[in-house]
Each structure stands twice: as structure tokens, then as C-alpha cells.
Amino acid sequence: MVEAGNARKVQENVFIQPDWRADGGARRIRVTRDGVLIARRLSGVAMKIRVPLDAYQGVALDVLPAEDGSPLYLLSLAHRDSDFDILLCKTQDGGAVAADWKYWASWLGLPRLSAEEGVLRPLEAGAPVARRRDANVSQRRPRFLARRK
């Protein structure tokens, strides 16, 4: 987990997060622009799972009450399967988490989501801009067939 405000201009981020099923109770997560790699050991067997970024719904911000009554902000990558959710930062600083929320969403090319009572809602109207190949690529003919009529 990265402290709010510290996730700037990095090509990959590595997190160690709790995982009650893993040996040692932790898993190692690497987040890049290409996808997410989750590594853990289960009963002595090393496991690695690569999850593409388009499998994630977006970057979700959830606000919970802290022990002292102040708001606690949780910023995470939201997946349909909660086992693949990744906690990006946990802080009580609202300004820093807002900046990180915008940064993570633009860096990963995912929409910003608001988590309210367990329901994810998109913050912006419209679909996110995905990094995809040109739409007419499938309509092009291969080079060696382009000469033939």
C-alpha cells in the first residue's frame, strides 16, 4: 500500500497485502500499465496470477468512519471478484486521496468509481477512454493479400 501522495511517475508499483489463505498471511502485488501480477505461496506452492487491466471495473474510492470518528478514505482497484481487489492507499487526508484517485485512474486508463454502501457508481458520465488498437484493424487485408484482386 502506498501512502497518499507518493505514487507519482512510477512505471510499476509493488504492494504487500494481507491474504489469510497465503503462507505467511501476505501476497505480493505488482501493478503496471499492462496489468496486475498477484504472487503468493499456498501450502508451499508458489502461485502467480496475471490479471489484465480491462478486467478491473475502475479505481474506487470508499469513505468509512475511522475509530476517532473522522473519515477514512480507501482507494482500491475494483474487480468483480473481491479476491482480486487491490488496496492502493488508505488515508485520512482527503486532499491527497483525491489527487491519487485522479492520478491512478488516468495512469491506468480506468474510470473513477464511488463506492457507496457496497455499490460502485461511476464518477464521470460516459465510458472511459480505453487504450485499444485501431477499430478498423480487422477490416484490413494482410499485406500479401492486398496485391490480389
Side-chain angles (χ1 to χ4, degrees), residues 51-141:
V51 183
L53 280 180
D54 58 0
Y56 285 91
Q57 295 174 314
V59 181
L61 177 65
D62 196 5
V63 182
L64 302 172
E67 293 176 5
D68 61 354
S70 63
L72 177 66
Y73 301 99
L74 302 174
L75 189 63
S76 63
L77 275 176
H79 193 275
R80 286 180 180 80
D81 183 358
S82 63
D83 285 341
F84 293 118
D85 284 355
I86 297 168
L87 184 63
L88 299 172
C89 90
K90 179 179 177 180
T91 184
Q92 291 184 326
D93 184 3
V97 80
D100 281 352
W101 190 20
K102 188 174 182 179
Y103 167 78
W104 278 106
S106 66
W107 189 70
L108 295 173
L110 295 172
R112 290 189 291 168
L113 304 173
S114 171
E116 299 171 7
E117 300 174 7
V119 177
L120 295 175
R121 293 190 175 95
L123 185 67
E124 299 102 4
V129 177
R131 296 179 306 229
R132 297 180 189 260
R133 292 174 42 163
D134 194 8
N136 62 358
V137 169
S138 62
Q139 298 171 358
R140 294 183 194 156
R141 297 182 67 175

Side-chain angles (χ1 to χ4, degrees), residues 10-85:
V10 179
Q11 294 304 315
E12 72 177 33
N13 292 286
V14 178
F15 304 98
I16 306 294
Q17 294 186 347
D19 186 351
W20 62 273
R21 292 170 295 195
D23 295 349
R27 63 182 176 171
R28 186 173 186 261
I29 300 168
R30 189 177 72 175
V31 179
T32 66
R33 288 184 173 189
D34 299 326
V36 176
L37 180 69
I38 301 170
R40 66 178 181 178
R41 295 187 72 77
L42 185 64
S43 300
V45 178
M47 297 173 44
K48 288 186 181 179
I49 301 170
R50 183 170 299 276
V51 183
L53 280 180
D54 58 0
Y56 285 91
Q57 295 174 314
V59 181
L61 177 65
D62 196 5
V63 182
L64 302 172
E67 293 176 5
D68 61 354
S70 63
L72 177 66
Y73 301 99
L74 302 174
L75 189 63
S76 63
L77 275 176
H79 193 275
R80 286 180 180 80
D81 183 358
S82 63
D83 285 341
F84 293 118
D85 284 355

